[in-house]
């Protein structure tokens, strides 16, 4: 009955009632606000962790071995030209920081074993810590799935799930893009169904927010091939949607050697 009477009082009257009984209403309001803030933070974190597990499950790792790397792991002195190694590391770090507030494509281009995958993983680590979902896709492993789908029809369902995830994830990493097209001296066009699927993904990832007019997704590509070589394997419309035109978003590993 007393609670019911309190509900019928004005805000001022309720405040006077609580203060008369030694209750500081401002402190109580702050405690409730802090409790609500923690509740929302916990809910957001739970949703993010759920999404993260989903995209992790959809990722395709080379040899099915999950990899991790941070910028603090990058050691320029492993290279005979540490100055160049330091420069590409700094460029990748700057691009990773920019990806926290903007969305765009990045391409890391160079010979095998020079650290492209390592630094791209460090970029994923940076955006992941800022609560953005990430996904790793080895295009060679993806090509193997397409090959297997000819004999095992059930694999088509998995491919469709992976392609859907690739369209939705905040930051997508396509690793070793172009290796599925053969050696540099013997390049061949990639099978059409994979080309069509990747085009659909690349096109979807160019989508912009209707309110802000800004892109909502980012894509990182590592490749051993030049853009011209990629055009010998893929449709030019796909390459134009993956490889950025801005030079500052292309990281060239020229002058670095295989350290694996």
């Amino acid at each position: 009955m007393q609670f019911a009477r309190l509900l019928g009082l004005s805000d001022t009257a309720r405040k006077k009632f609580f203060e008369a009984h030694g209750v500081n209403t401002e402190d109580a309001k702050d405690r409730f606000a802090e409790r609500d803030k923690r509740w929302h933070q916990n809910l957001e974190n739970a949703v993010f962790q759920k999404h993260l597990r989903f995209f992790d499950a959809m990722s395709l790792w080379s040899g099915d071995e999950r990899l991790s790397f941070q910028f603090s792991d990058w050691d320029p002195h492993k290279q005979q030209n540490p100055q160049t190694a330091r420069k590409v590391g700094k460029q990748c770090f700057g691009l990773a920081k920019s990806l926290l507030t903007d969305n765009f494509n990045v391409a890391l281009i160079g010979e095998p074993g020079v650290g492209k995958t390592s630094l791209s993983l460090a970029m994923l680590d940076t955006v992941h810590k800022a609560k953005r979902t990430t996904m790793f896709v080895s295009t060679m492993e993806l090509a193997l799935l397409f090959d297997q789908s000819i004999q095992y029809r059930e694999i088509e369902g998995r491919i469709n799930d992976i392609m859907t995830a690739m369209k939705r994830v905040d930051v997508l990493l396509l690793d070793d893009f172009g290796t599925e097209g053969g050696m540099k001296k013997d390049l061949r066009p990639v099978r059409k169904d994979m080309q069509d699927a990747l085009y659909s993904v690349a096109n979807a990832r160019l989508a912009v927010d209707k309110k802000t007019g800004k892109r909502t997704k980012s894509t990182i590509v590592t490749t051993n091939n030049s853009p011209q070589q990629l055009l010998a394997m893929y449709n030019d419309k796909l390459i134009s949607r993956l490889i950025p035109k801005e030079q500052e978003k292309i990281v060239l590993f020229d002058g670095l050697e295989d350290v694996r």
Side-chain angles (χ1 to χ4, degrees):
M1 293 294 293
Q2 187 179 32
F3 179 72
R5 286 197 297 272
L6 284 173
L7 291 178
L9 297 176
S10 66
D11 291 343
T12 301
R14 276 199 299 273
K15 181 177 180 181
K16 288 182 178 179
F17 173 85
F18 283 122
E19 289 176 346
H21 289 78
V23 178
N24 188 320
T25 54
E26 291 302 319
D27 286 347
K29 184 188 298 183
D30 290 342
R31 288 197 298 272
F32 283 128
E34 183 61 28
R35 182 199 64 183
D36 288 345
K37 181 180 178 181
R38 287 197 304 270
W39 185 86
H40 283 291
Q41 288 176 339
N42 290 336
L43 179 61
E44 289 177 359
N45 187 59
V47 171
F48 173 73
Q49 292 299 327
K50 181 179 179 181
H51 289 168
L52 188 64
R53 289 192 295 271
F54 169 76
F55 290 116
D56 276 349
M58 290 293 104
S59 290
L60 287 175
W61 300 91
S62 180
D64 204 27
E65 179 183 0
R66 180 183 173 85
L67 304 172
S68 63
F69 197 88
Q70 299 179 357
F71 281 110
S72 58
D73 298 323
W74 182 248
D75 184 3
H77 294 288
K78 288 185 177 181
Q79 285 285 343
Q80 291 187 1
N81 190 341
Q83 185 176 359
T84 300
R86 191 176 294 109
K87 179 182 177 181
V88 297
K90 184 178 180 180
Q91 185 180 358
C92 288
F93 180 77
L95 288 168
K97 289 298 183 182
S98 297
L99 286 174
L100 300 180
T101 55
D102 197 7
N103 288 289
F104 50 85
N105 288 9
V106 178
L108 284 67
I109 302 175
E111 296 297 320
V114 294
K116 301 185 302 299
T117 297
S118 294
L119 285 176
S120 63
L121 286 169
M123 295 175 73
L124 286 192
D125 175 72
T126 300
V127 297
H128 160 73
K129 288 176 179 176
K131 293 291 191 296
R132 301 196 68 194
T133 55
T134 60
M135 185 174 171
F136 182 103
V137 174
S138 163
T139 54
M140 177 59 79
E141 294 294 326
L142 184 61
L144 290 175
L145 280 182
F146 273 93
D147 289 341
Q148 293 168 1
S149 67
I150 299 174
Q151 185 176 0
Y152 305 102
R153 305 299 295 180
E154 63 273 14
I155 291 181
E156 288 186 3
R158 186 185 177 198
I159 291 175
N160 289 335
D161 290 342
I162 291 171
M163 290 299 164
T164 299
M166 289 170 68
K167 293 177 182 178
R168 291 172 48 194
V169 71
D170 292 331
V171 184
L172 171 67
L173 169 55
L174 295 176
D175 190 52
D176 274 347
F177 181 64
T179 53
E180 61 281 0
M183 303 298 291
K184 288 185 179 181
K185 295 181 180 179
D186 185 28
L187 298 177
R188 60 184 183 276
V190 173
R191 52 185 299 161
K192 187 176 184 303
D193 53 356
M194 182 170 171
Q195 291 214 39
D196 291 344
L198 284 176
Y199 174 83
S200 178
V201 168
N203 202 47
R205 297 189 63 76
L206 294 179
V208 299
D209 184 278
K210 292 182 179 179
K211 292 183 179 179
T212 64
K214 294 184 177 181
R215 282 182 55 179
T216 59
K217 310 292 181 187
S218 296
T219 305
I220 302 171
V221 178
T222 74
T223 180
N224 304 331
N225 302 97
S226 68
Q228 292 73 24
Q229 291 169 336
L230 292 175
L231 287 170
M233 297 177 262
Y234 282 100
N235 185 290
D236 59 343
K237 292 182 179 179
L238 169 60
I239 300 305
S240 70
R241 283 163 171 75
L242 285 180
I243 306 301
K245 297 177 177 60
E246 303 90 339
Q247 192 61 41
E248 65 272 14
K249 294 171 184 174
I250 298 177
V251 185
L252 299 176
F253 286 68
D254 294 346
L256 298 184
E257 299 178 353
D258 188 340
V259 295
R260 287 186 295 197

